Amino acid sequence: MDKKQIFILGGYGKVGASTAKELYDSTDMPIVIAGRNVDQAKNFAALFNDRVLPCYADAFDRESLVKAMATAQVVVNCSGPSSLINEVVAEAALKARCHYVD
């Protein structure tokens, strides 16, 4: 499988939205806006063209994260609070064989 997406967990929050806008402007890669509230992900993704896609993903569920990250090349974790999430997202990215940015 050719992995060519940027996956932003927490992509519709304040930090995630800024990150998504910067990556949208500076790359031509598809961007996945992910989080527990798929409606917010859809609403934010709709501000862009079809290169930005919404996705449900839960930072507390390692296996669902691995599945959601399956087509990603890079995972950018903008979810939080980090004191609750700990290493779950990083471990999921490693298992999905993605580069990881926190």
Side-chain angles (χ1 to χ4, degrees):
M1 179 187 328
D2 196 20
K3 298 176 131 199
K4 296 285 187 187
Q5 292 178 330
I6 299 171
F7 182 93
I8 305 173
L9 185 61
Y12 49 79
K14 191 169 192 158
V15 172
S18 294
T19 301
K21 287 177 185 177
E22 179 62 33
L23 289 169
Y24 180 82
D25 290 341
S26 63
T27 73
D28 61 354
M29 290 179 68
I31 298 170
V32 176
I33 302 299
R36 287 188 305 261
N37 188 324
V38 76
D39 289 332
Q40 284 185 337
K42 286 178 183 177
N43 289 339
F44 184 71
L47 300 174
F48 302 92
N49 65 20
D50 60 356
R51 187 166 56 96
V52 180
L53 308 166
C55 176
Y56 172 83
D58 186 342
F60 298 103
D61 182 352
R62 186 176 287 112
E63 291 308 311
S64 73
L65 285 172
V66 171
K67 185 177 177 181
M69 294 172 181
T71 58
Q73 181 178 22
V74 177
V75 171
V76 180
N77 183 12
C78 297
S79 64
S82 58
S83 62
L84 294 178
I85 295 168
N86 295 317
E87 70 284 340
V88 174
V89 180
E91 288 178 354
L94 181 65
K95 190 169 184 180
R97 302 183 56 87
C98 301
H99 297 284
Y100 179 74
V101 179
D102 191 347

